[in-house]
Amino acid sequence: MAVTLTLAGAAGATALVAADRAAEWQRPGAFALFWLGMLVFTLPAAYWACRAETGPTLRVAVLVAYGCFTYLPKLLRNPTGPLYHDEFAHWRQSHEILLDGRLFEANPIVRVIGDFPGLHSAVAAISALTDVSIWHAGLVVLIVAHLLVVLGVAVLAEQIWRDGRTAAVAALIYGLNSSFLYFDTQFGYESLAIALMIWTLIAMHRAIRGPGRAGWSAATVLLAGATVVTHHLTALGMLAIMLVFAAALTCRRGCRAAATTAWLLTLAAAALVAAWLWWVAPKTAGYLDPYLGSALTQMAGMVNENGEGSRSLFHGSIAPWYEQKAAFVAPALAVVATLAAAWRMRSARGADPVDRGSAVAALLIGGCYFPATLLIFAPSGAEGARRTWAFTYLGLALVVAPLVVAMLDRRARLAGPALAAVFTVALVGNTAAGMNPSYRFPGPAVYGSDTRSVTPEVLAAADWLRATQGRNLRIVADRYSGLVFGSLGGQFPVTGSGAFPTYDLYLTQPGRPPRPALIRQLSDWNFGYLIVDRRMAEQVPEIGIYFQVDEPIPHEGRPAFTLGQLTKFDHTPGTIKIYDSEDIAIYRFDFTFLGGPQ
């Protein structure tokens, strides 16, 4: 087995590297090479994990190898520094802690992450202790967290089903969820928090079983607290799952003591969540509210006769046809598997009441996957859908795993190949639905992409501003230059909002003064610099956003700005050009003259 998996891992890694190089050099075959690399390892790993003759030690070794290999796609995508939008924010937060030693500092990119310092403090501590970079310290934390997720699902499944083989299958099924390869492996607080949440549930389940109840209850509260201080949504998801477990145990006979313990632990976790959100992170509700409101509005718009607010999956995507087809087939396979697992659970008899109550809870959690997945059809809801898969697929994995083992135990000739085919379709389809190709593969720079908009020119401008003017400067910028200036450049950018519409500076026509109220805001809040990316007059952002999601800037497939609007600052009193390159210009505000006659 060791030789087989080593050779398969080496071949798979080689194919993944070849896929990235093909995409970077715009050669054909990137998708085929990627899936060849993934399947050449994961299918043999699944075989050895599911094999009845595999011993417990070897099965754990297979899961560790599976966890390491499934981190490779994201590691190869950006091994040296942040790439995804939120990674820049988390990199900056960790870097600022390392430099200044202060927690809870404001973050200019994602404004609430300073209130959840679990990931950032861990990364900064490792960087300080080992003298490695923030990015590489982050990789250490994230790889360990990814392994803990895989092993944690297996441990939780083994506690419920009392079978190591079923536990391994549950871990493999969980690895099929759409966020597993890319979204939940990024340098983000959820990547660590999900591991903490799963081990919180493990400790809770140990506590409700009785032996060592006090110790496991203390561990549950400790892990729940670590989750709360790491990520808001994961803490809320954890609390919801604990509530489902407690309710399911309450409804079963013979589980009185277990249900009581479950409710006490759930109330303790709820108190931790409420206390943190009330006293430490009160901005969280305001931060989440616009996303939820937009998603609900867009979902409502999908049912009107014009389909307003809807989102077409794979519209304009370069993903191959088999990925697109598999993305629609995968949820249908999940429906069939869940129904079959529910029927099998219904007909089963003689199980321990606590285990059976836990299985029912897992079924209820897994059932939430299907309505939550509908959010993918709303632009704002798609972000929420990605964040639900880490929770709902846990339930699916726990209830479907015994069904898979039962099918294999029947030793039907086609059971193994059929399950391998289902595994392949689910892996391909869910991955394709979870992340678009620009997140998964390198390629040429694309203006307005959340993963390919960082260019050497923007990096050079950010470095120049920090080197010549200092860090922590308040600047006005668009979404993409603000991302670089606010993270690697060490500045405090603002990209506009309804209350502070800095994008009006760019929209103002040549020869007209900016709005006096906006100038007063900029002056009162000590904004000193303006960043202008002239590509805004030449191209439409790939994701359709110049500044913020709710910006009042219609573009209808054409650039929303003229070159005159962006070069007017060369002649505007009070904006002094201090830096210029091919596309990027930096201006310093002089509020003595800004807003005066043109």
Side-chain angles (χ1 to χ4, degrees):
M1 182 195 75
V3 174
T4 301
L5 288 184
T6 300
L7 292 175
T14 301
L16 292 177
V17 171
D20 280 355
R21 297 294 75 77
E24 185 177 8
W25 299 333
Q26 296 184 280
R27 294 176 179 173
F31 291 93
L33 285 168
F34 177 84
W35 289 118
L36 174 65
M38 288 300 299
L39 295 173
V40 79
F41 176 82
T42 54
L43 287 178
Y47 167 77
W48 286 106
C50 298
R51 191 167 174 263
E53 294 77 12
T54 302
T57 302
L58 290 178
R59 191 169 282 123
V60 170
V62 172
L63 292 180
V64 170
Y66 177 77
C68 291
F69 187 85
T70 51
Y71 197 85
L72 268 181
K74 180 62 174 66
L75 179 63
L76 293 173
R77 181 67 181 92
N78 55 313
T80 59
L83 179 71
Y84 295 1
H85 179 276
D86 288 3
E87 288 187 326
F88 286 93
H90 293 288
W91 181 93
R92 177 198 166 102
Q93 200 69 18
S94 304
H95 188 253
E96 292 296 305
I97 292 174
L98 180 64
L99 289 180
D100 302 331
R102 295 195 299 267
L103 301 179
F104 305 108
E105 292 296 298
N107 188 284
I109 301 171
V110 181
R111 59 189 176 91
V112 299
I113 70 172
D115 297 334
F116 298 91
L119 171 70
H120 318 119
S121 56
V123 170
I126 291 174
S127 178
L129 290 171
T130 62
D131 203 30
V132 301
S133 70
I134 284 292
W135 180 254
H136 290 100
L139 287 179
V140 171
V141 173
L142 298 174
I143 291 171
V144 171
H146 190 67
L147 285 172
L148 288 175
V149 166
V150 174
L151 296 175
V153 174
V155 171
L156 185 58
E158 187 167 17
Q159 288 183 182
I160 294 173
W161 300 110
R162 316 293 184 87
D163 178 62
R165 191 171 167 216
T166 302
V169 172
L172 294 172
I173 293 173
Y174 185 80
L176 300 176
N177 89 71
S178 297
S179 296
F180 185 73
L181 289 183
Y182 289 100
F183 190 79
D184 291 337
T185 54
Q186 67 175 313
F187 192 164
Y189 40 17
E190 57 267 86
S191 300
L192 174 60
I194 288 165
L196 294 171
M197 176 200 73
I198 290 173
W199 284 91
T200 302
L201 298 176
I202 291 169
M204 177 185 177
H205 197 266
R206 288 286 180 90
I208 66 178
R209 295 210 57 81
R213 178 170 292 164
W216 284 112
S217 295
T220 302
V221 174
L222 180 64
L223 287 165
T227 307
V228 170
V229 304
T230 301
H231 185 220
H232 42 81
L233 284 180
T234 304
L236 294 171
M238 174 193 70
L239 185 58
I241 291 173
M242 293 175 74
L243 282 168
V244 173
F245 269 87
L249 291 170
T250 302
C251 295
R252 295 208 62 81
R253 294 179 180 176
C255 297
R256 183 174 181 179
T260 300
T261 302
W263 278 114
L264 289 174
L265 292 175
T266 301
L267 290 173
L272 291 173
V273 172
W276 193 266
L277 294 181
W278 181 264
W279 280 296
V280 181
K283 301 188 297 290
T284 305
Y287 168 74
L288 296 175
D289 181 65
Y291 292 96
L292 178 61
S294 297
L296 294 175
T297 301
Q298 290 162 1
M299 290 294 290
M302 288 167 57
V303 301
N304 69 24
E305 61 184 23
N306 296 321
E308 183 181 352
S310 63
R311 174 175 178 261
S312 299
L313 292 185
F314 302 108
H315 177 70
S317 174
I318 62 170
W321 65 268
Y322 57 83
E323 281 199 2
Q324 299 186 33
K325 300 296 183 186
F328 290 98
V329 173
L333 293 175
V335 170
V336 174
T338 304
L339 291 175
W343 179 259
R344 185 175 181 277
M345 285 173 54
R346 181 177 179 274
S347 59
R349 294 290 185 268
D352 178 272
V354 173
D355 292 342
R356 191 164 175 80
S358 299
V360 170
L363 180 63
L364 294 173
I365 295 162
C368 296
Y369 165 78
F370 304 105
T373 297
L374 294 176
L375 290 171
I376 198 80
F377 291 100
S380 293
E383 292 299 318
R386 288 191 184 96
R387 286 160 173 81
T388 64
W389 291 324
F391 312 114
T392 57
Y393 231 85
L394 177 61
L396 291 183
L398 292 174
V399 297
V400 173
L403 174 68
V404 173
V405 172
M407 293 176 65
L408 291 171
D409 283 344
R410 291 179 181 176
R411 300 194 181 279
R413 181 177 300 177
L414 296 179
L419 288 171
V422 170
F423 179 92
T424 300
V425 171
L427 178 62
V428 173
N430 287 335
T431 302
M435 283 293 185
N436 65 45
S438 69
Y439 278 80
R440 293 163 51 196
F441 296 108
V446 178
Y447 172 68
S449 165
D450 265 347
T451 55
R452 297 183 185 173
S453 61
V454 178
T455 64
E457 184 181 7
V458 179
L459 290 170
D463 288 343
W464 180 90
L465 185 64
R466 185 185 65 248
T468 60
Q469 310 297 311
R471 52 189 279 261
N472 292 327
L473 305 172
R474 295 193 176 191
I475 64 175
V476 176
D478 63 280
R479 175 185 175 96
Y480 311 100
S481 61
L483 198 62
V484 176
F485 279 81
S487 56
L488 304 176
Q491 313 301 351
F492 267 85
V494 64
T495 57
S497 65
F500 191 24
T502 53
Y503 35 70
D504 281 353
L505 286 174
Y506 303 86
L507 289 168
T508 301
Q509 294 297 329
R512 295 185 178 180
R515 290 195 303 147
L518 177 58
I519 301 304
R520 283 195 299 271
Q521 280 182 292
L522 291 169
S523 177
D524 292 344
W525 295 349
N526 297 317
F527 278 85
Y529 299 87
L530 171 70
I531 315 299
V532 176
D533 187 339
R534 288 187 282 264
R535 290 176 297 174
M536 292 193 298
E538 302 165 355
Q539 303 174 51
V540 176
E542 184 185 55
I543 64 172
I545 300 168
Y546 285 98
F547 296 92
Q548 293 286 351
V549 174
D550 55 353
E551 62 189 17
I553 306 175
H555 48 76
E556 298 179 355
R558 297 190 302 271
F561 301 89
T562 65
L563 188 59
Q565 285 175 300
L566 302 183
T567 58
K568 66 178 181 289
F569 301 107
D570 293 347
H571 315 288
T572 300
T575 55
I576 304 163
K577 184 186 285 186
I578 60 173
Y579 180 92
D580 197 3
S581 62
E582 182 178 355
D583 291 316
I584 305 297
I586 303 176
Y587 299 85
R588 181 169 55 81
F589 290 131
D590 183 345
F591 291 105
T592 304
F593 302 100
L594 188 59
Q598 303 294 298

